[in-house]
Amino acid sequence: MVGCGPPASSKHYVNVSDAVQASSIKSVGVWRSRAGGQFANSGNLITIAFENAFREQGYSVVGYEELSKAINKTKTVPRGGEAVLETINPTPEILEKLRSETGVDAVLVASIDDSYCSGGCRIRCSFRLIDTTSGKDIMKGTLGEEDVQIRIAANKLAQKAVRKLVNPQ
């Protein structure tokens, strides 16, 4: 299995900021992740996996639909009216709007770097958990996970990342 390698120089890592305590985060917004690799649905799988992982650790979770409504109030959005966070770098204006409209302390943005099944399934994801007040990263990383099903691999990846937030050691 592929896991979280502690050194930042590793291909897979999770860094948690010393400046922000996980206990200060009560509500997390999880933005719909961008898909990548073989599976067009990989973005939805990892989004749901992160939502569930945060809930399992006792966080209040605000989903994509509510976040999207808040962002759509902020600006004109291209592509059929769907709100899109600028890659993995939301602007301070968007973070403030998410905080004021939805009450989230942090927002998770992610993108699938790769997903495939061939003799087992693999998913690799880059992500950032961003403080909606300061705009600073609370946690960021790249993780990969393997399992017999892509959904199980996505769940393991998200659980590993959120556990690292709760217990950074």
Side-chain angles (χ1 to χ4, degrees):
M1 294 288 174
V2 176
C4 172
S9 62
S10 169
K11 190 167 145 181
H12 300 279
Y13 70 96
V14 178
N15 291 332
V16 179
S17 170
D18 294 333
V20 180
Q21 297 292 325
S23 60
S24 69
I25 305 299
K26 305 292 182 212
S27 179
V28 176
V30 178
W31 191 256
R32 182 171 53 195
S33 301
R34 292 178 186 237
Q38 267 184 357
F39 296 97
N41 197 32
S42 62
N44 289 336
L45 287 175
I46 202 69
T47 299
I48 292 165
F50 269 110
E51 288 176 350
N52 291 337
F54 278 113
R55 283 188 186 102
E56 287 169 9
Q57 292 295 328
Y59 293 94
S60 172
V61 174
V62 175
Y64 162 76
E65 294 297 329
E66 194 172 340
L67 297 177
S68 180
K69 287 177 189 174
I71 290 174
N72 280 325
K73 290 179 183 179
T74 304
K75 62 180 186 173
T76 304
V77 181
R79 290 201 222 151
E82 181 179 299
V84 177
L85 283 177
E86 285 73 12
T87 62
I88 204 163
N89 299 305
T91 65
E93 175 192 30
I94 288 176
L95 291 172
E96 171 55 34
K97 191 60 143 176
L98 292 175
R99 184 174 185 78
S100 66
E101 293 284 329
T102 67
V104 296
D105 300 311
V107 64
L108 181 102
V109 291
S111 64
I112 302 300
D113 302 322
D114 198 11
S115 63
Y116 64 88
C117 286
S118 177
C121 295
R122 178 175 171 75
I123 190 166
R124 189 167 36 103
C125 174
S126 297
F127 57 90
R128 292 176 62 205
L129 182 65
I130 306 164
D131 184 311
T132 55
T133 301
S134 70
K136 294 184 179 184
D137 289 345
I138 297 167
M139 175 177 71
K140 70 178 181 177
T142 298
L143 286 176
E145 194 62 62
E146 296 175 357
D147 209 291
V148 293
Q149 293 181 5
I150 195 77
R151 182 180 311 273
I152 295 170
N155 288 337
K156 286 176 159 182
L157 186 153
Q159 290 167 350
K160 189 176 289 183
V162 175
R163 278 195 309 268
K164 185 77 170 175
L165 173 66
V166 173
N167 185 13
Q169 279 62 343

